[in-house]
């Protein structure tokens, strides 16, 4: 089912959500991202009815749920810390929500139908061998799968996921991503996931929003968010580390005596440009090609990230950050205080 949020506001004293407008289509997998303290978890708790809203409305399809108690909203939530009951077995944890949900709400007319939902989820999440165990004996990945089963067994219209994979090690995280993708396809539910992990958003979500300081900065497709940010806040958050305040004129942008050629004619005045670090090319000699922007710079810092390197170069008074592969690093052999040429296409310069 679809989820529609209209002009939602939450007032918690020192922190507020303001004018939240968001639409999730039926069956969407939506990622909500933003820095720590942006208000992402507060928004989830307002949707599920655990935090009171001070204004606005929430709809599932055309049904207004804004003032319904949590158990009548048709929204499930899975927390980062799983929130399993330690005194109940895995099977009893999974079945727990069925005790409080009417058969009419779930759409399941008999106990046999309700138990079939449990039986279908268990193999889908690989929990068959764990049913008699207790949460304290499970790994983090196993606990998270139990939490997912417990949330889905009541057949929610909307499933909220509050950083569901952040506490897991990389191997478990990849495994749970696969489970989440399969669950989304099998359940037909609409998923709204809070995450800090760009790779999770890129691999799972179809649409996304960036939140900062209690407001939505941008919503759109995953590609829109990562390739075409509309504000400096979004550009910075999605990793466009080369973010400069500039003055525009004709087909150029100027910042502190550095002049950039841009791919489209900007409106005159001030604004920002943003360039992804992977769009910058380093070379020992000037490149003669379609790369309209080329500057000589001095290496200020080198950071290894295992599979790639980040290189900071100073061009006049500006610091650029480039990303290069290990292979390119060993070919170029950059060192702090060495000089290199920094080149990039005019179309790689994003105007904000």
């Amino acid at each position: 089912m679809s989820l529609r949020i209209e002009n939602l506001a939450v007032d918690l004293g020192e922190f507020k959500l303001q004018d939240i407008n968001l639409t999730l289509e039926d069956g969407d997998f939506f990622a909500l991202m933003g820095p720590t303290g942006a208000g992402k978890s507060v928004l989830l708790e307002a949707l599920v009815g655990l935090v009171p809203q001070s204004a606005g409305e929430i709809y599932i399809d055309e049904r207004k749920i804004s003032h319904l108690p949590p158990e009548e909203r048709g929204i499930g939530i899975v927390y980062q810390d799983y929130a399993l009951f330690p005194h109940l077995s895995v099977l009893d944890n999974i079945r727990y929500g069925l005790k409080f949900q009417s058969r009419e709400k779930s759409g399941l007319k008999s106990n046999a139908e309700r138990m079939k939902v449990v039986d279908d989820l268990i193999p889908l999440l690989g929990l068959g061998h764990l049913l008699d165990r207790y949460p304290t004996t499970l790994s983090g990945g196993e606990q998270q799968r139990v939490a997912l089963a417990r949330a889905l067994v009541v057949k929610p219209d909307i499933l909220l996921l509050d950083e569901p994979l952040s506490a897991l090690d990389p191997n478990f995280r990849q495994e749970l991503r696969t489970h989440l993708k399969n669950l989304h396809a099998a359940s037909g539910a609409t998923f709204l996931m809070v995450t800090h992990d760009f790779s999770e958003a890129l691999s799972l979500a179809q649409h996304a929003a960036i939140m900062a300081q209690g407001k939505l900065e941008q919503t759109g497709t995953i590609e829109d968010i990562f390739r075409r940010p509309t504000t400096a806040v979004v550009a910075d958050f999605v990793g466009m580390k080369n973010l400069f305040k500039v003055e525009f004129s004709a087909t150029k942008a100027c910042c502190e005596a550095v002049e950039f050629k841009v791919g489209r004619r900007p409106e005159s005045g001030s604004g920002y440009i943003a360039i992804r670090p992977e769009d910058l090319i380093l070379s020992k000699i000037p490149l003669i090609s379609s790369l309209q922007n080329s500057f000589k710079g001095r290496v200020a810092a080198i950071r290894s990230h295992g599979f790639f390197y980040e290189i900071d170069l100073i061009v006049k008074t500006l610091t650029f950050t480039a990303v290069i592969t290990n292979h390119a690093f060993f070919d170029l052999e950059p060192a702090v205080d060495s000089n290199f040429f920094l080149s990039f296409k005019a179309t790689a310069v994003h105007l904000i």
Side-chain angles (χ1 to χ4, degrees), residues 250-299:
T251 57
K252 297 178 182 178
C254 295
C255 177
E256 299 183 17
V258 178
E259 189 175 89
F260 302 88
K261 293 180 180 178
V262 298
R264 62 181 174 86
R265 185 181 181 88
E267 295 182 8
S268 60
S270 61
Y272 288 88
I273 61 169
I275 311 160
R276 297 199 69 86
E278 59 268 27
D279 288 336
L280 305 183
I281 298 173
L282 300 188
S283 60
K284 294 180 179 179
I285 59 174
L287 297 178
I288 302 173
S289 68
S290 61
L291 303 172
Q292 297 97 320
N293 293 286
S294 187
F295 308 101
K296 188 175 183 179
R298 175 178 60 84
V299 175

Side-chain angles (χ1 to χ4, degrees), residues 122-315:
I122 286 169
L124 187 61
L125 283 163
L127 296 172
H129 63 296
L130 302 174
L131 298 180
D132 295 327
R133 300 257 300 268
Y134 287 83
T136 53
T137 71
L138 304 179
S139 69
E142 290 167 342
Q143 290 184 55
Q144 188 62 284
R145 282 183 280 155
V146 176
L148 285 167
R150 185 180 63 183
L152 285 166
V153 76
V154 297
K155 301 193 73 174
D157 301 320
I158 311 290
L159 182 63
L160 309 180
L161 303 159
D162 193 0
E163 302 219 44
L165 311 182
S166 63
L168 304 178
D169 66 42
N171 290 335
F172 279 136
R173 196 174 299 139
Q174 183 55 51
E175 179 184 340
L176 259 295
R177 278 184 200 168
T178 302
H179 283 303
L180 278 175
K181 186 166 282 193
N182 292 339
L183 279 170
H184 179 250
S187 69
T190 301
F191 282 22
L192 172 57
M193 177 180 69
V194 166
T195 181
H196 280 92
D197 190 319
F198 294 154
S199 61
E200 279 176 21
L202 290 167
S203 65
L204 292 171
Q206 298 148 335
H207 298 90
I210 305 295
M211 176 178 275
Q213 297 182 334
K215 295 182 179 180
L216 290 178
E217 289 280 336
Q218 183 177 348
T219 62
T221 66
I222 288 290
E223 183 179 359
D224 284 339
I225 296 292
F226 281 90
R227 300 299 303 183
R228 292 177 284 277
T230 57
T231 70
V233 170
V234 175
D236 181 59
F237 181 77
V238 301
M240 286 191 166
K241 297 188 176 183
N242 303 292
L243 182 64
F244 307 110
K245 187 171 178 60
V246 297
E247 294 294 327
F248 292 115
S249 62
T251 57
K252 297 178 182 178
C254 295
C255 177
E256 299 183 17
V258 178
E259 189 175 89
F260 302 88
K261 293 180 180 178
V262 298
R264 62 181 174 86
R265 185 181 181 88
E267 295 182 8
S268 60
S270 61
Y272 288 88
I273 61 169
I275 311 160
R276 297 199 69 86
E278 59 268 27
D279 288 336
L280 305 183
I281 298 173
L282 300 188
S283 60
K284 294 180 179 179
I285 59 174
L287 297 178
I288 302 173
S289 68
S290 61
L291 303 172
Q292 297 97 320
N293 293 286
S294 187
F295 308 101
K296 188 175 183 179
R298 175 178 60 84
V299 175
I302 300 172
R303 295 178 294 278
S304 173
H305 292 273
F307 295 107
F308 64 92
Y309 283 83
E310 278 188 348
I311 312 291
D312 289 347
L313 289 97
I314 296 177
V315 175

